[in-house]
Amino acid sequence: LQMVPPVFTTSPTEYRTGIRSEEECAPITPTSKGSSFLFDPLELTDEIVGGVPNGLRVRPLHIDDFDKGFLSVLSQLTSVGEMDRSGWEWRFRSMQRTTPSTYFVCVVEDLDSTRVVGAATLVLEWKFIHSAGSRGRVEDVVVDESMRGKKLGVLLNDVLVRLAKKKGVYKVSLECKDKLIPFYEQFGYKKDAGNNFLVLRFDSKI
């Protein structure tokens, strides 16, 4: 099986101006062929998703979630910045067309309002080490303030851990505040003794 590395356009400006980019010339995959979901919904089997409270569903990020409050929910976690629909669609398509698939953004949708009320991301890093294995990273876990206390964070983390196992990663890691360590330990995460997380920020406002 030949694995093709991810390719991206240089900027959303190129995407909007219609310049034919490497991304647009990339091999068409089942996920990118006209799909409005970030990844194949069939990946989220009943075994992966588990029990979901009535009135909610867990699904992949959809391109129409720009209008369903996804960025508003994400902004409750960190700075989103300004993003218009063109920028949103450029970022969505560039993430969608990575080969092999790299980005698995899962959302919780309120079926009555059709609004996104929770989200979490599994990112796969493709490696040369460990027999060309892959590592998973859990990022951007957030639940809308109106839905907190309903264990949706537990639901999303369970989904990502099961999905990561299904994808065959050799490990999953995440970064969190000290106060959240007990929360993540319930999913099997442990402090990695002797290793530290360091960061070098290039934007002091973020």
Side-chain angles (χ1 to χ4, degrees):
L1 176 63
Q2 183 179 7
M3 302 176 79
V4 182
V7 289
F8 303 93
T9 52
T10 303
S11 70
T13 303
E14 286 188 4
Y15 186 85
R16 289 196 293 267
T17 55
I19 297 175
R20 191 166 176 78
S21 64
E22 288 185 357
E23 174 195 322
E24 293 168 302
C25 298
I28 298 298
T29 67
T31 306
S32 65
K33 192 184 296 183
S35 175
S36 296
F37 287 104
L38 187 64
F39 63 94
D40 189 347
L42 295 178
E43 297 270 16
L44 297 180
T45 62
D46 291 343
E47 182 182 30
I48 296 293
V49 174
V52 180
N54 290 334
L56 302 174
R57 70 166 172 166
V58 176
R59 59 168 174 77
L61 184 70
H62 191 280
I63 198 165
D64 289 343
D65 287 336
F66 179 82
D67 299 311
K68 294 185 177 182
F70 172 74
L71 295 180
S72 176
V73 172
L74 200 58
S75 70
Q76 296 175 40
L77 176 68
T78 189
S79 171
V80 173
E82 296 183 7
M83 182 177 295
D84 60 15
R85 183 175 293 276
S86 294
W88 161 268
E89 291 184 358
W90 170 79
R91 173 55 67 208
F92 185 97
R93 294 301 184 191
S94 66
M95 293 172 71
Q96 183 191 58
R97 291 178 178 176
T98 56
T99 305
S101 295
T102 299
Y103 300 99
F104 297 84
V105 182
C106 298
V107 303
V108 179
E109 179 186 2
D110 183 312
L111 295 177
D112 288 334
S113 66
T114 71
R115 303 286 291 177
V116 171
V117 295
T121 298
L122 172 67
V123 180
L124 299 188
E125 294 182 356
W126 300 96
K127 304 285 192 176
F128 287 106
I129 61 174
H130 302 305
S131 302
S134 60
R135 169 184 178 172
R137 290 186 181 272
V138 169
E139 299 185 343
D140 301 339
V141 180
V142 61
V143 174
D144 185 75
E145 57 188 2
S146 68
M147 298 293 285
R148 291 174 189 169
K150 302 179 184 294
K151 296 189 178 297
L152 298 188
V154 172
L155 170 64
L156 284 165
N157 277 282
D158 278 337
V159 169
L160 294 194
V161 169
R162 294 187 193 114
L163 184 57
K165 286 182 178 179
K166 177 184 176 183
K167 290 296 179 183
V169 303
Y170 61 83
K171 72 175 179 180
V172 179
S173 63
L174 58 79
E175 301 150 15
C176 70
K177 304 290 186 183
D178 288 346
K179 65 181 181 181
L180 292 176
I181 290 176
F183 172 77
Y184 286 108
E185 285 179 333
Q186 68 182 299
F187 304 102
Y189 292 99
K190 298 178 181 178
K191 288 185 178 180
D192 198 1
N195 291 313
N196 297 286
F197 167 66
L198 305 178
V199 63
L200 177 60
R201 296 190 183 275
F202 295 102
D203 188 337
S204 59
K205 298 178 181 178
I206 297 177

